[in-house]
mmCIF file of all heavy atoms in Angstrom:
data_model
loop_
_atom_site.group_PDB
_atom_site.id
_atom_site.type_symbol
_atom_site.label_atom_id
_atom_site.label_comp_id
_atom_site.label_asym_id
_atom_site.label_seq_id
_atom_site.Cartn_x
_atom_site.Cartn_y
_atom_site.Cartn_z
ATOM 1 N N PRO A 1400 0.875 -8.370 -7.464
ATOM 2 C CA PRO A 1400 -0.329 -9.193 -7.328
ATOM 3 C C PRO A 1400 -0.225 -10.072 -6.077
ATOM 4 O O PRO A 1400 0.097 -11.335 -6.104
ATOM 5 C CB PRO A 1400 -0.382 -10.017 -8.541
ATOM 6 C CG PRO A 1400 1.060 -10.190 -8.958
ATOM 7 C CD PRO A 1400 1.818 -8.949 -8.610
ATOM 8 N N VAL A 1401 -0.398 -9.442 -4.909
ATOM 9 C CA VAL A 1401 -0.228 -10.143 -3.734
ATOM 10 C C VAL A 1401 -1.627 -10.144 -2.919
ATOM 11 O O VAL A 1401 -2.470 -9.150 -3.247
ATOM 12 C CB VAL A 1401 0.785 -9.681 -2.764
ATOM 13 C CG1 VAL A 1401 2.174 -9.966 -3.339
ATOM 14 C CG2 VAL A 1401 0.677 -8.162 -2.441
ATOM 15 N N ASP A 1402 -1.881 -10.907 -1.864
ATOM 16 C CA ASP A 1402 -3.105 -10.819 -1.016
ATOM 17 C C ASP A 1402 -2.970 -9.815 0.160
ATOM 18 O O ASP A 1402 -3.975 -9.216 0.295
ATOM 19 C CB ASP A 1402 -3.299 -12.222 -0.546
ATOM 20 C CG ASP A 1402 -3.539 -13.254 -1.522
ATOM 21 O OD1 ASP A 1402 -4.431 -13.103 -2.445
ATOM 22 O OD2 ASP A 1402 -2.733 -14.326 -1.557
ATOM 23 N N VAL A 1403 -1.792 -9.606 0.670
ATOM 24 C CA VAL A 1403 -1.460 -8.892 1.875
ATOM 25 C C VAL A 1403 -0.420 -7.958 1.560
ATOM 26 O O VAL A 1403 0.709 -8.395 1.169
ATOM 27 C CB VAL A 1403 -1.342 -9.791 3.034
ATOM 28 C CG1 VAL A 1403 -1.126 -8.795 4.347
ATOM 29 C CG2 VAL A 1403 -2.571 -10.530 3.286
ATOM 30 N N ILE A 1404 -0.417 -6.642 2.041
ATOM 31 C CA ILE A 1404 0.766 -5.831 1.983
ATOM 32 C C ILE A 1404 0.884 -5.342 3.484
ATOM 33 O O ILE A 1404 -0.065 -4.993 4.196
ATOM 34 C CB ILE A 1404 0.513 -4.634 1.197
ATOM 35 C CG1 ILE A 1404 0.552 -5.006 -0.330
ATOM 36 C CG2 ILE A 1404 1.534 -3.584 1.487
ATOM 37 C CD1 ILE A 1404 0.124 -3.804 -1.129
ATOM 38 N N VAL A 1405 2.089 -5.578 4.005
ATOM 39 C CA VAL A 1405 2.410 -5.147 5.281
ATOM 40 C C VAL A 1405 3.292 -3.922 5.107
ATOM 41 O O VAL A 1405 4.452 -3.884 4.573
ATOM 42 C CB VAL A 1405 3.221 -6.338 6.071
ATOM 43 C CG1 VAL A 1405 3.766 -5.658 7.415
ATOM 44 C CG2 VAL A 1405 2.405 -7.424 6.325
ATOM 45 N N ALA A 1406 2.618 -2.685 5.485
ATOM 46 C CA ALA A 1406 3.362 -1.417 5.227
ATOM 47 C C ALA A 1406 4.078 -1.070 6.573
ATOM 48 O O ALA A 1406 3.452 -0.572 7.479
ATOM 49 C CB ALA A 1406 2.354 -0.317 4.906
ATOM 50 N N ALA A 1407 5.427 -1.250 6.542
ATOM 51 C CA ALA A 1407 6.257 -1.208 7.815
ATOM 52 C C ALA A 1407 7.290 -0.109 7.616
ATOM 53 O O ALA A 1407 8.201 -0.057 8.328
ATOM 54 C CB ALA A 1407 6.792 -2.472 8.143
ATOM 55 N N ALA A 1408 7.389 0.527 6.368
ATOM 56 C CA ALA A 1408 8.387 1.517 6.100
ATOM 57 C C ALA A 1408 8.121 2.832 6.703
ATOM 58 O O ALA A 1408 7.025 3.308 6.587
ATOM 59 C CB ALA A 1408 8.596 1.668 4.471
ATOM 60 N N PRO A 1409 9.043 3.503 7.314
ATOM 61 C CA PRO A 1409 8.846 4.715 8.066
ATOM 62 C C PRO A 1409 8.928 6.002 7.028
ATOM 63 O O PRO A 1409 9.625 6.771 6.927
ATOM 64 C CB PRO A 1409 10.072 4.841 8.944
ATOM 65 C CG PRO A 1409 11.140 4.059 8.266
ATOM 66 C CD PRO A 1409 10.525 2.879 7.576
ATOM 67 N N ASP A 1410 7.949 5.914 6.096
ATOM 68 C CA ASP A 1410 7.698 6.892 5.082
ATOM 69 C C ASP A 1410 6.338 7.415 5.120
ATOM 70 O O ASP A 1410 5.463 6.867 4.420
ATOM 71 C CB ASP A 1410 8.175 6.440 3.746
ATOM 72 C CG ASP A 1410 8.204 7.445 2.724
ATOM 73 O OD1 ASP A 1410 8.020 8.663 3.075
ATOM 74 O OD2 ASP A 1410 8.318 7.044 1.589
ATOM 75 N N GLU A 1411 6.120 8.515 5.906
ATOM 76 C CA GLU A 1411 4.670 9.010 6.038
ATOM 77 C C GLU A 1411 4.028 9.542 4.708
ATOM 78 O O GLU A 1411 4.802 10.153 3.951
ATOM 79 C CB GLU A 1411 4.652 10.266 6.965
ATOM 80 C CG GLU A 1411 4.790 9.816 8.484
ATOM 81 C CD GLU A 1411 6.417 9.914 8.904
ATOM 82 O OE1 GLU A 1411 7.079 10.099 8.110
ATOM 83 O OE2 GLU A 1411 6.622 9.602 10.064
ATOM 84 N N GLY A 1412 2.822 9.121 4.337
ATOM 85 C CA GLY A 1412 2.248 9.637 3.154
ATOM 86 C C GLY A 1412 2.718 8.794 1.797
ATOM 87 O O GLY A 1412 2.341 9.289 0.790
ATOM 88 N N ALA A 1413 3.292 7.646 1.970
ATOM 89 C CA ALA A 1413 3.897 6.965 0.842
ATOM 90 C C ALA A 1413 2.734 6.378 -0.083
ATOM 91 O O ALA A 1413 2.937 6.297 -1.267
ATOM 92 C CB ALA A 1413 4.866 5.939 1.319
ATOM 93 N N ILE A 1414 1.703 5.998 0.596
ATOM 94 C CA ILE A 1414 0.473 5.374 -0.167
ATOM 95 C C ILE A 1414 -0.457 6.569 -0.438
ATOM 96 O O ILE A 1414 -1.371 6.851 0.409
ATOM 97 C CB ILE A 1414 -0.169 4.248 0.529
ATOM 98 C CG1 ILE A 1414 0.879 3.315 1.121
ATOM 99 C CG2 ILE A 1414 -1.204 3.604 -0.290
ATOM 100 C CD1 ILE A 1414 0.323 2.174 1.962
ATOM 101 N N ASN A 1415 -0.079 7.255 -1.537
ATOM 102 C CA ASN A 1415 -0.935 8.451 -1.953
ATOM 103 C C ASN A 1415 -1.891 8.218 -3.097
ATOM 104 O O ASN A 1415 -2.130 7.026 -3.434
ATOM 105 C CB ASN A 1415 -0.011 9.506 -2.205
ATOM 106 C CG ASN A 1415 1.007 9.226 -3.346
ATOM 107 O OD1 ASN A 1415 0.704 8.428 -4.311
ATOM 108 N ND2 ASN A 1415 2.292 9.712 -3.213
ATOM 109 N N GLU A 1416 -2.337 9.238 -3.679
ATOM 110 C CA GLU A 1416 -3.359 9.120 -4.677
ATOM 111 C C GLU A 1416 -2.845 8.562 -5.979
ATOM 112 O O GLU A 1416 -3.557 8.107 -6.855
ATOM 113 C CB GLU A 1416 -4.088 10.412 -4.962
ATOM 114 C CG GLU A 1416 -3.242 11.577 -5.655
ATOM 115 C CD GLU A 1416 -2.379 12.363 -4.615
ATOM 116 O OE1 GLU A 1416 -2.272 11.905 -3.356
ATOM 117 O OE2 GLU A 1416 -1.778 13.405 -4.997
ATOM 118 N N LYS A 1417 -1.462 8.514 -6.165
ATOM 119 C CA LYS A 1417 -0.857 8.010 -7.185
ATOM 120 C C LYS A 1417 -0.576 6.474 -7.200
ATOM 121 O O LYS A 1417 -0.840 5.772 -8.020
ATOM 122 C CB LYS A 1417 0.486 8.706 -7.546
ATOM 123 C CG LYS A 1417 0.291 10.163 -7.989
ATOM 124 C CD LYS A 1417 1.622 10.779 -8.344
ATOM 125 C CE LYS A 1417 1.314 12.315 -8.704
ATOM 126 N NZ LYS A 1417 2.754 12.892 -8.919
ATOM 127 N N VAL A 1418 -0.204 6.093 -5.826
ATOM 128 C CA VAL A 1418 0.027 4.657 -5.707
ATOM 129 C C VAL A 1418 -1.238 3.862 -5.384
ATOM 130 O O VAL A 1418 -1.260 2.668 -5.785
ATOM 131 C CB VAL A 1418 0.992 4.675 -4.570
ATOM 132 C CG1 VAL A 1418 1.233 3.123 -3.959
ATOM 133 C CG2 VAL A 1418 2.362 5.325 -4.777
ATOM 134 N N ALA A 1419 -2.084 4.447 -4.570
ATOM 135 C CA ALA A 1419 -3.302 3.701 -4.259
ATOM 136 C C ALA A 1419 -4.029 2.998 -5.331
ATOM 137 O O ALA A 1419 -4.524 1.818 -5.204
ATOM 138 C CB ALA A 1419 -4.190 4.532 -3.367
ATOM 139 N N PRO A 1420 -4.274 3.558 -6.481
ATOM 140 C CA PRO A 1420 -4.891 2.871 -7.630
ATOM 141 C C PRO A 1420 -4.232 1.629 -8.109
ATOM 142 O O PRO A 1420 -4.940 0.724 -8.722
ATOM 143 C CB PRO A 1420 -5.129 3.939 -8.762
ATOM 144 C CG PRO A 1420 -4.946 5.364 -8.039
ATOM 145 C CD PRO A 1420 -3.953 4.932 -6.923
ATOM 146 N N THR A 1421 -2.965 1.436 -7.834
ATOM 147 C CA THR A 1421 -2.241 0.368 -8.334
ATOM 148 C C THR A 1421 -2.372 -0.865 -7.427
ATOM 149 O O THR A 1421 -1.862 -2.020 -7.792
ATOM 150 C CB THR A 1421 -0.730 0.650 -8.553
ATOM 151 O OG1 THR A 1421 -0.068 0.888 -7.333
ATOM 152 C CG2 THR A 1421 -0.504 1.945 -9.355
ATOM 153 N N VAL A 1422 -2.716 -0.696 -6.188
ATOM 154 C CA VAL A 1422 -2.821 -1.742 -5.228
ATOM 155 C C VAL A 1422 -3.734 -2.861 -5.538
ATOM 156 O O VAL A 1422 -4.952 -2.704 -5.912
ATOM 157 C CB VAL A 1422 -3.162 -1.262 -3.870
ATOM 158 C CG1 VAL A 1422 -3.283 -2.342 -2.766
ATOM 159 C CG2 VAL A 1422 -2.243 -0.272 -3.347
ATOM 160 N N LYS A 1423 -3.300 -4.106 -5.566
ATOM 161 C CA LYS A 1423 -4.007 -5.306 -5.964
ATOM 162 C C LYS A 1423 -4.379 -6.172 -4.681
ATOM 163 O O LYS A 1423 -5.101 -7.196 -4.843
ATOM 164 C CB LYS A 1423 -3.431 -6.163 -6.994
ATOM 165 C CG LYS A 1423 -3.157 -5.326 -8.274
ATOM 166 C CD LYS A 1423 -2.354 -6.151 -9.300
ATOM 167 C CE LYS A 1423 -2.108 -5.469 -10.689
ATOM 168 N NZ LYS A 1423 -1.256 -4.211 -10.501
ATOM 169 N N ALA A 1424 -3.742 -5.880 -3.684
ATOM 170 C CA ALA A 1424 -3.845 -6.569 -2.375
ATOM 171 C C ALA A 1424 -5.325 -6.427 -1.885
ATOM 172 O O ALA A 1424 -6.055 -5.458 -2.082
ATOM 173 C CB ALA A 1424 -2.834 -6.164 -1.346
ATOM 174 N N THR A 1425 -5.739 -7.524 -1.135
ATOM 175 C CA THR A 1425 -7.130 -7.399 -0.402
ATOM 176 C C THR A 1425 -7.005 -6.574 0.821
ATOM 177 O O THR A 1425 -7.870 -5.895 1.363
ATOM 178 C CB THR A 1425 -7.699 -8.881 -0.230
ATOM 179 O OG1 THR A 1425 -7.699 -9.605 -1.474
ATOM 180 C CG2 THR A 1425 -8.993 -8.829 0.508
ATOM 181 N N VAL A 1426 -5.796 -6.856 1.596
ATOM 182 C CA VAL A 1426 -5.577 -6.240 2.972
ATOM 183 C C VAL A 1426 -4.250 -5.555 3.033
ATOM 184 O O VAL A 1426 -3.229 -6.078 2.562
ATOM 185 C CB VAL A 1426 -5.821 -7.320 4.010
ATOM 186 C CG1 VAL A 1426 -5.413 -6.696 5.505
ATOM 187 C CG2 VAL A 1426 -7.059 -8.044 4.022
ATOM 188 N N ILE A 1427 -4.389 -4.354 3.665
ATOM 189 C CA ILE A 1427 -3.017 -3.575 3.910
ATOM 190 C C ILE A 1427 -2.908 -3.554 5.506
ATOM 191 O O ILE A 1427 -3.816 -3.034 6.073
ATOM 192 C CB ILE A 1427 -3.008 -2.243 3.331
ATOM 193 C CG1 ILE A 1427 -2.953 -2.311 1.692
ATOM 194 C CG2 ILE A 1427 -1.710 -1.518 3.773
ATOM 195 C CD1 ILE A 1427 -2.882 -0.927 1.132
ATOM 196 N N CYS A 1428 -1.878 -3.952 6.010
ATOM 197 C CA CYS A 1428 -1.656 -4.000 7.503
ATOM 198 C C CYS A 1428 -0.643 -2.878 7.616
ATOM 199 O O CYS A 1428 0.605 -2.850 7.227
ATOM 200 C CB CYS A 1428 -1.046 -5.142 8.009
ATOM 201 S SG CYS A 1428 -2.124 -6.622 7.908
ATOM 202 N N GLU A 1429 -1.054 -1.706 8.250
ATOM 203 C CA GLU A 1429 -0.208 -0.541 8.422
ATOM 204 C C GLU A 1429 0.632 -0.713 9.799
ATOM 205 O O GLU A 1429 0.203 -0.148 10.884
ATOM 206 C CB GLU A 1429 -1.005 0.759 8.426
ATOM 207 C CG GLU A 1429 -1.601 1.128 7.117
ATOM 208 C CD GLU A 1429 -2.292 2.370 7.179
ATOM 209 O OE1 GLU A 1429 -2.483 3.004 8.277
ATOM 210 O OE2 GLU A 1429 -2.586 2.939 6.141
#
């Protein structure tokens, strides 16, 4: 339960159809 996610991990495709529905943040910075 955070406001911002900074996605800085070198893992292409990590935020997929299984992970995306769980996101509670308002903003994701890729």
Side-chain angles (χ1 to χ4, degrees):
V1401 296
D1402 300 302
V1403 177
I1404 292 173
V1405 177
D1410 187 9
E1411 291 90 355
I1414 307 175
N1415 54 34
E1416 68 274 15
K1417 295 180 180 179
V1418 175
T1421 70
V1422 173
K1423 299 177 178 65
T1425 303
V1426 177
I1427 296 178
C1428 297
E1429 293 186 339

